[in-house]
């Protein structure tokens, strides 16, 4: 049977790290939507935003996401933080054989992580520390509606990757 597990959530929650581990545990191939985009365009996401703009990125993201969800392959897919929030991508969670998982983190945890890792993320890289906190608060709130459409929600604060993967497996299978 086809099984597509999709990890969604705000930047910095660990979608790729958790996705890789979950793929190992479920013995499914691991796919990372940002990496697929980078490979296809032969550019980093940051370069793509700078050279072609966010709209171009969002269209490509939608097209590839839809294509992946419509094929007959099984996989664990980590998405970008904005994937569910554009072009009605969240509605695609309702397609057959899809299990969508929202990795829920507190604003404080997200802020701490993104402060260290903001450089490669075009949306936040130019924000100063104070601006970043305010930005995350508002942006996260705007995006929550889409994240909430996931079938399963897992809180990740103060848990390690192994615990999170265990919890996801218990809820899914
Ligand atoms: C984005 C998140 C990024 C990447 C792009 C846009 C967003 O992915 O897709 O920079 O809009 O939140 P991560 O969530 O893996 O950082």
């Amino acid at each position: 049977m086809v099984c597509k597990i999709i990890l969604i959530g705000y930047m910095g929650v660990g979608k790729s790290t958790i996705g890789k581990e979950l793929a190992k545990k479920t013995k499914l191939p691991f796919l990372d939507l940002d990496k697929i985009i980078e490979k296809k365009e032969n550019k980093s996401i940051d370069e793509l935003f700078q050279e072609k703009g966010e709209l171009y990125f969002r269209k490509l993201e939608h097209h590839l996401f839809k294509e992946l969800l419509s094929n007959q392959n099984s996989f664990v897919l980590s998405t970008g933080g904005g994937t569910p929030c554009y072009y009605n991508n969240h509605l695609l969670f309702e397609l057959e054989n899809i299990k969508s998982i929202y990795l829920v983190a507190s604003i404080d945890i997200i802020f701490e992580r993104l402060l260290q890792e903001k450089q490669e993320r075009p949306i936040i890289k130019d924000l100063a520390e104070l601006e970043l906190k305010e930005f995350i608060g508002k942006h996260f709130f705007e995006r929550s509606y889409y994240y909430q459409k996931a079938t399963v929600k897992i809180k990740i604060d103060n848990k390690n990757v192994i615990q999170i993967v265990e919890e996801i497996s218990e809820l899914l299978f």
Side-chain angles (χ1 to χ4, degrees):
M1 199 187 106
V2 178
C3 173
K4 295 171 192 283
I5 302 176
I6 302 165
L7 296 178
I8 67 162
Y10 202 74
M11 291 176 272
V13 297
K15 299 178 292 292
S16 302
T17 314
I18 294 164
K20 275 182 210 151
E21 282 308 312
L22 185 63
K24 273 191 217 158
K25 188 168 168 82
T26 53
K27 300 193 169 55
L28 292 171
F30 172 68
L31 301 176
D32 184 319
L33 189 55
D34 278 345
K35 293 276 177 287
I36 295 173
I37 294 171
E38 288 182 331
K39 200 166 166 206
K40 191 166 172 58
E41 292 289 302
N42 203 18
K43 284 182 186 21
S44 70
I45 299 290
D46 191 31
E47 286 165 346
L48 196 57
F49 266 65
Q50 280 184 44
E51 292 170 25
K52 301 212 173 165
E54 181 171 355
L55 188 60
Y56 180 88
F57 170 81
R58 294 298 174 200
K59 282 186 181 160
L60 186 58
E61 181 182 47
H62 170 65
H63 171 74
L64 293 170
F65 187 56
K66 197 169 161 185
E67 202 170 81
L68 285 169
L69 297 200
S70 320
N71 70 29
Q72 285 307 302
N73 303 328
S74 295
F75 50 71
V76 175
L77 172 72
S78 63
T79 60
T83 309
C85 318
Y86 295 87
Y87 292 103
N88 278 334
N89 287 339
H90 66 292
L91 298 179
L92 299 172
F93 298 163
E94 290 160 22
L95 292 174
E96 231 181 324
N97 305 325
I98 291 177
K99 296 172 197 289
S100 47
I101 299 160
Y102 170 27
L103 302 175
V104 187
S106 65
I107 301 281
D108 285 343
I109 296 273
I110 291 174
F111 171 68
E112 272 167 39
R113 291 193 185 174
L114 290 182
L115 199 54
Q116 312 300 323
E117 306 169 4
K118 69 183 170 97
Q119 223 37 53
E120 69 275 18
R121 292 184 163 95
I123 293 186
I124 53 170
K125 68 178 204 173
D126 295 326
L127 299 177
E129 190 170 333
L130 270 178
E131 294 170 315
L132 180 65
K133 185 126 202 194
E134 199 183 315
F135 176 85
I136 294 171
K138 283 189 194 152
H139 199 217
F140 178 78
F141 178 73
E142 285 163 14
R143 287 182 164 186
S144 289
Y145 168 82
Y146 301 96
Y147 296 152
Q148 292 294 343
K149 299 290 172 191
T151 30
V152 170
K153 287 141 200 137
I154 307 261
K155 290 193 178 156
I156 63 144
D157 287 10
N158 307 316
K159 292 177 192 162
N160 64 36
V161 177
I162 304 296
Q163 286 171 312
I164 297 167
V165 168
E166 271 302 318
E167 227 180 285
I168 295 175
S169 315
E170 277 166 25
L171 283 169
L172 287 184
F173 304 106

